Structure formats: structure tokens, C-alpha cells
Amino acid sequence: LSKITKTYFSPKSFNNKFGVPLSLLNLKQNKEFGVFEVGMDKKGEIDFLSKVIKPNLAIITNISYAHSKNFRNISGIANAKSEIINNVMNGGNIILNKDDKFYSFLRKKAIKKNLKVFSFSLKDKQSYANLIKIIKIRNKFKIYFKVGSRVEFYYSKSNSKNHIQNLLATLITISLFFNLKNISKNIFFDFKFPEGRGDISKLKFKDKLINFVDESYNSNPLSLKTALINFANIKLKNKSKHVLLGDMLELGENSPNYHRSMTKIINKLNIDKVHVYGKDIKKTYQGLTENKKGLVLTSIMQINDLINNTLSNKDYLMVKGSNSTGLYKQSQILKLNRSN
């Protein structure tokens, strides 16, 4: 939106009871749009924060097992996220992910509140917006979308699932206020992924370069699954793909089961070696096929040893774990000191 008109948006993850009011206070009257992130780790937080904002439009990207330690099950998380629906202005708009299993629940609640519902999907052609096809052209992707009755294409540097879902939600938002035919085909092309959310760097270690895929900004079952699939889909010739996984935190008493559930996914993917650092992530490691088992790190500083002694020149390494494991901080240090 900021490429189209005067827009203000939350700085970083200003999404809690302190960050949201600060963001609102910085919204100047000359801005046409204000975009705010609303987060939660327990029931009632989204209701409180969205009452403060009173949005004209809301987007719920997905329902997943993030911050689930304060909820009995995922239905509780869905109820908590749906609180935003109560506070969208009457007759306002809501954008929902039709591929999410709680779509029908959220849609019914939105209709009861007299909101206009716009759905997006990677596969459902009946949704308001959906992906049509992707064409690889050298170092970029030409991605075709249907939005309402229009078919448009836009260029992107990434074809990852979560990125395309975000583009669909964004395109619906833009289409509600502007004519898509007037929007630049390159509007998304220079989008820079936030640190630790899929950005790729070339790191120099002694006599070799490592392709470092940084997914280290937090981890939960859905984001880890998505990151692993995206990483596995990278096509390589004669180079290996390694992952270093840390614990997924704040998952409550079911944490061991969530970690075990990742094993089946990893065993099916085109990933060569899995290295782990943490307590519960060992549950994931235990069920891996023997040929995929890599190193079990006992110190975060062993990342350097892992790269120096185990990876070969131009291999790929993806790092993923919750922030409190220290993997995010260490990944940023690596990129700062060793970027080629």
C-alpha cells in the first residue's frame, strides 16, 4: 500500500498491549491507510486490542499451534483469533484463508456480524482470489492470480507457499480500494523478507561458501512444516541440504507430540541431513531415518563447528527454532560477520 498511497504500518512486531497503542499514536492524519499487527498468547487479547483499533478491514492468515500453552486445543486458538471479527466496523471487510480448516467457522461468525467476506486459496477456484500458475523466468517468478473477475500476473523473487498466500491476501486488500490493472507488475518484486523469515545469504567460512537459509525467527508446527517444504523444493545439483532445528516453544504439555509429528514430514522430504539443538526437538530426531540423522548439538556455539566440519562448499543450511533457543540471535551474528 505504501507504494500506492500514503500508508503507515506497525514498526516491527508492535502487536501487543504496548505496541499497538504506540503504533496508533504514530498514525498521522495525512495517511490514507494504517496497517496494524495484532498478536496474542491468551484469550481476550485480540478482543482488547482490536477494540482499540476499530478496523475497517481485518485479515486472519491462518489458525495454527502458536502460543498454544494457554489453550486446551486448537479450537481455543481459533476462538481467540476470531475475536477480531467482533470489532471490525459494521459493514466492514474481512479476508480469510479458505485453505484453513477453520474457514467455515470464521466465515459464519463474520456473516453474523454483517461483514463482507473475501476468501483466498492456493487451490480452490471458487474462492474470491486464488493462484492460477507460476512460471519461472531466470531469477524471478511470474505468478498469475485470479482476484474477483480479473486475472493478473506479478513478478516475485519467491514462490514459497506462505509468500504466495500473503500476496493473495494483499491483492484482495489492494483490489478493494484500487483498480488492479493500474498496479505495477513489479510491486512485489523487491519485497525484502524480514530477517529470519526465509532470507538467503552466502556466508564465507575459511575456504568455502555456504548458502544460509534463515528461518530462525520463531517456530511452531505450521511455520516449521511450511519452511521445511519450501526448503525441500529448492532444486540443487550435487549439493546437500542440511537443516538445524531448535525447539518449538510455548506449546504446553503437548509439546513432545508436536515435535514427534514433524518426523513423518521430514522423512518424506528431499532433505539430506537434520541436525538438532534443544530438548524437545530430540523427539523429532529420534524418529528420523538413519540416513537423515545429523549432529545433536549441546551448545549453540557448535554451529560454527557444524558448518566447518560437516558441510561442503556451496551446500545449503536452513536454521529454524523459537527465538528463546538463541538460534535467531546466533543466525544474525553469523550473517553480520560472515556475509560474502
Side-chain angles (χ1 to χ4, degrees):
L1 284 171
S2 64
K3 292 183 178 180
I4 301 169
T5 189
K6 294 178 180 178
T7 302
Y8 173 80
F9 48 89
S10 308
K12 299 185 178 179
S13 289
F14 278 35
N15 63 2
N16 61 17
K17 62 184 178 181
F18 304 110
V20 169
L22 279 171
S23 296
L24 277 169
L25 286 168
N26 281 290
L27 176 61
K28 302 295 189 293
Q29 287 189 340
N30 68 338
K31 302 296 184 183
E32 292 192 48
F33 290 92
V35 183
F36 302 96
E37 180 185 0
V38 179
M40 65 96 188
D41 61 12
K42 60 181 182 286
K43 181 181 177 183
E45 286 188 324
I46 286 180
D47 183 51
F48 172 76
L49 293 173
S50 54
K51 270 192 176 81
V52 175
I53 298 172
K54 296 184 177 65
N56 305 96
L57 179 152
I59 302 171
I60 300 177
T61 52
N62 60 65
I63 309 295
S64 67
Y65 288 101
H67 308 294
S68 62
K69 66 177 181 180
N70 293 322
F71 298 93
R72 293 180 61 185
N73 51 45
I74 196 166
S75 295
I77 297 173
N79 271 304
K81 284 203 172 185
S82 76
E83 290 168 4
I84 198 170
I85 293 170
N86 299 327
N87 299 311
V88 177
M89 300 290 277
N90 189 45
N93 306 309
I94 187 158
I95 298 172
L96 300 173
N97 182 354
K98 201 170 185 181
D99 297 336
D100 192 279
K101 69 177 183 178
F102 286 95
Y103 169 74
S104 295
F105 162 73
L106 296 170
R107 180 178 179 274
K108 286 175 185 175
K109 187 168 181 178
I111 289 172
K112 277 186 182 179
K113 290 291 181 179
N114 194 33
L115 303 183
K116 297 170 191 165
V117 178
F118 299 88
S119 63
F120 65 89
S121 172
L122 293 176
K123 51 197 175 185
D124 190 328
K125 305 303 180 188
Q126 302 305 309
S127 59
Y128 183 80
N130 64 267
L131 172 68
I132 296 177
K133 64 180 178 180
I134 303 173
I135 299 173
K136 178 80 187 300
I137 305 174
R138 297 186 186 90
N139 65 336
K140 61 184 178 181
F141 298 93
K142 187 177 184 181
I143 308 177
Y144 285 82
F145 302 93
K146 177 189 79 71
V147 183
S149 59
R150 296 192 65 83
V151 173
E152 300 284 352
F153 72 84
Y154 298 92
Y155 293 108
S156 172
K157 289 180 180 175
S158 171
N159 68 337
S160 71
K161 174 185 171 183
N162 50 334
H163 183 56
I164 291 174
Q165 288 178 320
N166 289 339
L167 292 184
L168 283 164
T170 302
L171 285 168
I172 295 175
T173 303
I174 293 171
S175 74
L176 296 178
F177 303 100
F178 304 97
N179 191 330
L180 288 181
K181 75 175 184 179
N182 298 326
I183 304 302
S184 167
K185 300 300 182 186
N186 286 311
I187 190 170
F188 305 120
F189 187 67
D190 62 355
F191 174 77
K192 187 179 180 189
F193 284 90
E195 293 284 350
R197 300 194 186 189
D199 54 295
I200 302 177
S201 306
K202 290 187 183 296
L203 305 186
K204 188 171 181 58
F205 284 81
K206 295 181 180 176
D207 57 347
K208 61 188 174 188
L209 284 176
I210 298 300
N211 295 288
F212 187 74
V213 181
D214 187 5
E215 289 277 6
S216 63
Y217 187 84
N218 256 334
S219 186
N220 61 61
L222 179 59
S223 69
L224 176 55
K225 178 182 177 182
T226 303
L228 287 166
I229 291 171
N230 291 336
F231 186 58
N233 286 338
I234 296 175
K235 292 180 171 57
L236 301 178
K237 286 185 179 180
N238 304 319
K239 299 299 171 188
S240 296
K241 293 183 206 170
H242 295 250
V243 295
L244 171 59
L245 303 180
D247 289 342
M248 299 179 286
L249 301 176
E250 298 185 49
L251 295 179
E253 61 185 18
N254 285 321
S255 181
N257 291 331
Y258 294 140
H259 283 84
R260 285 190 197 97
S261 70
M262 292 294 111
T263 300
K264 288 183 181 178
I265 297 166
I266 296 172
N267 281 337
K268 293 177 182 176
L269 293 175
N270 178 27
I271 292 173
D272 296 292
K273 289 291 180 184
V274 179
H275 315 279
V276 297
Y277 169 69
K279 178 185 173 185
D280 283 350
I281 199 66
K282 290 176 184 174
K283 305 292 184 187
T284 305
Y285 185 85
Q286 288 165 3
L288 295 174
T289 56
E290 286 301 319
N291 65 310
K292 287 186 182 290
K293 286 184 176 179
L295 302 177
V296 178
L297 277 59
T298 56
S299 164
I300 199 134
M301 299 311 295
Q302 290 177 313
I303 296 176
N304 286 337
D305 294 333
L306 164 67
I307 296 173
N308 283 322
N309 302 329
T310 307
L311 274 66
S312 299
N313 187 40
K314 297 186 179 178
D315 277 356
Y316 277 67
L317 172 65
M318 185 189 88
V319 176
K320 183 77 171 166
S322 288
N323 284 349
S324 297
T325 64
L327 286 172
Y328 174 73
K329 183 178 180 180
Q330 189 61 30
S331 294
Q332 306 321 302
I333 291 171
L334 281 175
K335 290 193 294 185
L336 181 64
N337 296 333
R338 294 185 178 273
S339 288
N340 186 43

